[in-house]
């Protein structure tokens, strides 16, 4: 592959943008080489500035459940554009958006729109603190909830990729109320609750972690977490920014049959535009201004363009419940192919998957939390990444991310990916 144009653009970008990118994980730092500058996407494909074509599995880090430029989202955007871009005033679109999410996710009685997953999780923690009048909250090592100061403590995703789990610039004061437990380890939660009795406002968790690679919560762990929160009057927040509408119509809550008190969303609900949302029980959400004292706001929250794209995506989901069976079939097909390759190569790398989000960990240990995910050979992953790129397969430029399949991925795309995986692994091992 020729990457000349991307190389030029990257050099120019670095003069004006820190690290040449507007989000660190895009910089290829952990896999080496030059980040590809993308010109356009179509279905399961993206095309870079040098005209190279890739079958891609990032899907803009989750939003593209239907691949790039699905007609029903593009048409909705085009018709919305005619009316204007933003009014800073309420629109009927926002009611429709709130209604369809409360319909698809039964635990949500009220919801507020924001413009990113970070804003959603940040606001959810503030609402939980305001409602309970408690200060501390528990997160889990390896989970990533966006870049609000008090989350950047042993976080996942880009923070993990950089091996700097706790970021400079986060003050001791800000970190003081963040408690960290171990994923899938209920005793680590119990000991924190014992130590900080009646001081904990919330527990926030990715019910299916997607930011240390994909690590699903054990069902019994999540069930015990739900019970503990009920017993201790702690708000259970499911961060479904990634898993929401990805793994099922009702997200991880539907997969596990466990309801959270609050839920955060992003990615898919924006149909590719910047949208986040946080919602939950009426009594919690009604603590928010203008009816309640907890302040939270946003200039472009609920803006008509993003609402049109998001509403088109969620309406499509509502009308096509078979969508998740189709995604399951495609994802199972790919998983089977990759596992057959590993058998041929006498390797037993850990592969985790829930629906259309999955991860191939370059470790032969089983992976069920942060510590075991870290056993992955990130150097080998970097080499694998580039061999797959050379073969026209674009994966996440970090071992600690998720791989996403969309409804646009054809069997031929999956066969090509399985073949490229075999040839790349064969060369490496
Ligand atoms: P944003 O602020 O990036 O929209 O959402 C933050 C966030 C919150 N919660 C979960 C579970 C998330 O996965 C994310 C963001 N995910 C990463 C991908 N690992 C975003 C990619 C990036 O940082 O560029």
């Amino acid at each position: 592959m020729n990457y000349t144009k991307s190389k030029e653009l990257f050099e120019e970008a670095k003069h004006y943008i820190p690290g040449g990118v507007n989000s660190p994980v895009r910089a290829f730092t952990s896999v080496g080489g030059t980040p590809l500058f993308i010109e356009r996407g179509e279905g399961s494909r993206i095309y870079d500035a040098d005209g190279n074509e890739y079958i891609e599995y990032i899907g803009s880090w989750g939003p593209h459940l239907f691949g790039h430029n699905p007609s029903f989202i593009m048409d909705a955007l085009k018709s919305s554009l005619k009316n204007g871009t933003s009014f800073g005033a309420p629109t009927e679109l926002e009611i429709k958006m709130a209604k369809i999410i409360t319909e698809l996710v039964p635990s949500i009685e009220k919801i507020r729109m924001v413009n990113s997953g970070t804003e959603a999780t940040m606001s959810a923690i503030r609402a939980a603190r305001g409602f309970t009048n408690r200060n501390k909250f528990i997160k889990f090592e390896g989970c990533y909830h966006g870049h609000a100061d008090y989350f950047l403590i042993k976080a996942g995703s880009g923070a993990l990729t950089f091996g700097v789990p706790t970021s400079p610039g986060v003050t001791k004061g800000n970190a003081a109320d963040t408690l960290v437990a171990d994923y899938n380890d209920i005793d680590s939660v119990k000991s924190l609750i014992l130590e900080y009795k009646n001081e904990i406002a919330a527990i926030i968790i990715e019910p299916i972690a997607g930011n240390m690679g994909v690590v699903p919560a054990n069902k019994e762990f999540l069930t015990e977490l739900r019970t503990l929160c009920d017993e201790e009057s702690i708000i259970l927040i499911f961060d479904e920014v990634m898993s929401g509408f990805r793994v099922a119509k009702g997200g991880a809550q539907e997969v596990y049959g466990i309801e959270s008190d609050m839920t955060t969303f992003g990615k898919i609900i924006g149909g590719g535009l910047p949208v986040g949302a946080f919602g939950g029980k009426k009594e919690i959400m009604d603590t928010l201004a203008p009816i309640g004292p907890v302040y939270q706001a946003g200039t472009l929250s609920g803006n008509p363009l993003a609402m049109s794209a998001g509403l088109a995506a969620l309406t499509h989901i509502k009308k096509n419940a078979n969508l998740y069976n189709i995604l399951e079939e495609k994802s199972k097909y790919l998983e089977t192919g990759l596992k057959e390759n590993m058998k041929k190569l006498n390797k037993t790398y850990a592969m985790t998957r829930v629906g259309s989000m999955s991860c191939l960990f370059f470790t032969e240990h089983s992976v069920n939390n942060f510590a075991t995910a870290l056993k992955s050979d990130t150097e080998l992953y970097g080499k694998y990444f580039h061999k797959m790129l050379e073969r026209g397969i674009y994966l996440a430029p970090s071992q600690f991310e998720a791989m996403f399949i969309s409804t646009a991925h054809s069997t031929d795309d999956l066969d090509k990916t399985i073949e490229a995986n075999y040839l790349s692994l064969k060369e490496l091992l």
Side-chain angles (χ1 to χ4, degrees):
M1 292 276 190
N2 165 20
Y3 303 128
T4 312
K5 187 69 180 148
S6 280
K7 284 192 170 82
E8 281 167 20
L9 290 171
F10 190 44
E11 287 316 306
E12 187 183 8
K14 284 191 280 192
H15 284 297
Y16 305 101
I17 306 167
V21 290
N22 281 311
S23 197
V25 73
R26 302 176 190 171
F28 279 26
T29 310
S30 78
V31 294
T34 302
L36 303 183
F37 280 65
I38 304 303
E39 248 170 31
R40 67 184 180 88
E42 193 63 46
S44 60
R45 312 274 163 137
I46 48 173
Y47 302 83
D48 69 15
D50 292 285
N52 300 314
E53 174 179 328
Y54 304 91
I55 298 167
E56 72 109 348
Y57 289 94
I58 297 187
S60 181
W61 301 101
H64 296 320
L65 191 68
F66 318 105
H68 295 272
N69 304 357
S71 56
F72 53 90
I73 291 182
M74 305 307 273
D75 293 347
L77 269 176
K78 284 173 197 152
S79 61
S80 179
L81 206 49
K82 287 200 227 57
N83 300 331
T85 53
S86 176
F87 312 117
T91 62
E92 188 183 359
L93 274 170
E94 292 158 86
I95 304 171
K96 288 180 178 168
M97 191 68 172
K99 277 173 82 171
I100 197 167
I101 293 179
T102 54
E103 205 181 308
L104 295 176
V105 189
S107 67
I108 296 183
E109 295 173 340
K110 283 195 175 179
I111 190 160
R112 174 158 287 174
M113 294 292 137
V114 291
N115 291 294
S116 70
T118 295
E119 273 194 85
T121 53
M122 186 179 85
S123 309
I125 290 290
R126 187 178 314 134
R129 284 172 162 161
F131 180 75
T132 58
N133 201 16
R134 299 175 181 177
N135 297 337
K136 296 196 181 312
F137 76 94
I138 295 176
K139 73 173 290 282
F140 294 85
E141 204 169 32
C143 283
Y144 177 73
H145 303 292
H147 63 91
D149 278 8
Y150 40 75
F151 289 132
L152 291 182
I153 318 287
K154 298 186 179 177
S157 186
L160 178 55
T161 304
F162 287 77
V164 184
T166 299
S167 166
V170 177
T171 64
K172 282 201 180 60
N174 231 322
D177 290 324
T178 304
L179 306 173
V180 184
D182 295 328
Y183 201 78
N184 278 325
D185 173 358
I186 199 68
D187 291 335
S188 69
V189 180
K190 285 178 180 167
S191 54
L192 286 173
I193 291 177
L194 215 57
E195 192 176 348
Y196 298 96
K197 194 82 181 151
N198 301 326
E199 291 185 60
I200 299 169
I203 295 178
I204 185 167
I205 188 166
E206 291 178 62
I208 299 163
N211 290 289
M212 47 175 142
V214 175
V215 181
N218 298 330
K219 170 121 186 182
E220 54 283 355
F221 165 71
L222 225 41
T223 307
E224 286 197 65
L225 207 56
R226 175 69 274 175
T227 308
L228 273 175
C229 287
D230 290 338
E231 289 166 354
E232 303 289 334
S233 307
I234 293 172
I235 306 284
L236 180 57
I237 304 172
F238 277 2
D239 177 356
E240 296 221 47
V241 166
M242 190 182 284
S243 58
F245 307 101
R246 164 62 57 181
V247 297
K249 189 164 46 64
Q253 297 176 53
E254 180 181 315
V255 171
Y256 285 91
I258 298 171
E259 287 197 350
S260 48
D261 302 311
M262 294 181 83
T263 310
T264 53
F265 297 102
K267 298 181 193 279
I268 289 172
I269 70 163
L273 269 71
V275 179
F278 64 107
K281 300 280 173 274
K282 217 195 300 286
E283 60 270 16
I284 305 171
M285 296 303 288
D286 283 351
T287 59
L288 292 168
I291 30 176
V294 178
Y295 196 69
Q296 184 278 332
T299 305
L300 290 166
S301 296
N303 78 79
L305 274 193
M307 293 297 101
S308 302
L311 198 55
L314 297 181
T315 306
H316 186 84
I317 285 171
K318 183 182 168 187
K319 289 185 177 150
N320 299 275
N322 186 43
L323 167 82
Y324 293 99
N325 297 331
I326 294 165
L327 284 169
E328 177 58 28
E329 267 166 46
K330 291 174 187 284
S331 307
K332 184 79 188 144
Y333 183 89
L334 181 65
E335 178 186 12
T336 306
L338 299 187
K339 284 184 171 171
E340 274 164 10
N341 288 349
M342 286 196 275
K343 219 183 285 169
K344 284 182 212 154
L345 294 162
N346 202 16
K347 278 290 171 188
T348 55
Y349 290 136
M351 185 159 180
T352 55
R353 180 175 74 81
V354 180
S356 59
M357 59 188 270
S358 65
C359 183
L360 177 61
F361 288 97
F362 279 67
T363 172
E364 299 197 274
H365 298 272
S366 67
V367 175
N368 66 356
N369 62 14
F370 180 70
T372 46
L374 279 186
K375 290 181 190 292
S376 306
D377 180 341
T378 51
E379 198 184 325
L380 182 59
Y381 179 83
K383 291 179 185 146
Y384 170 71
F385 170 84
H386 282 287
K387 285 191 176 296
M388 292 293 273
L389 202 61
E390 282 293 318
R391 292 187 161 93
I393 309 295
Y394 189 94
L395 302 172
S398 160
Q399 167 69 87
F400 303 112
E401 294 291 352
M403 178 180 194
F404 297 106
I405 286 188
S406 77
T407 52
H409 283 81
S410 66
T411 306
D412 183 51
D413 290 338
L414 302 178
D415 286 336
K416 283 193 173 79
T417 307
I418 292 164
E419 188 195 7
N421 165 272
Y422 177 74
L423 295 173
S424 303
L425 285 179
K426 196 161 185 304
E427 283 167 12
L428 285 168
L429 300 171

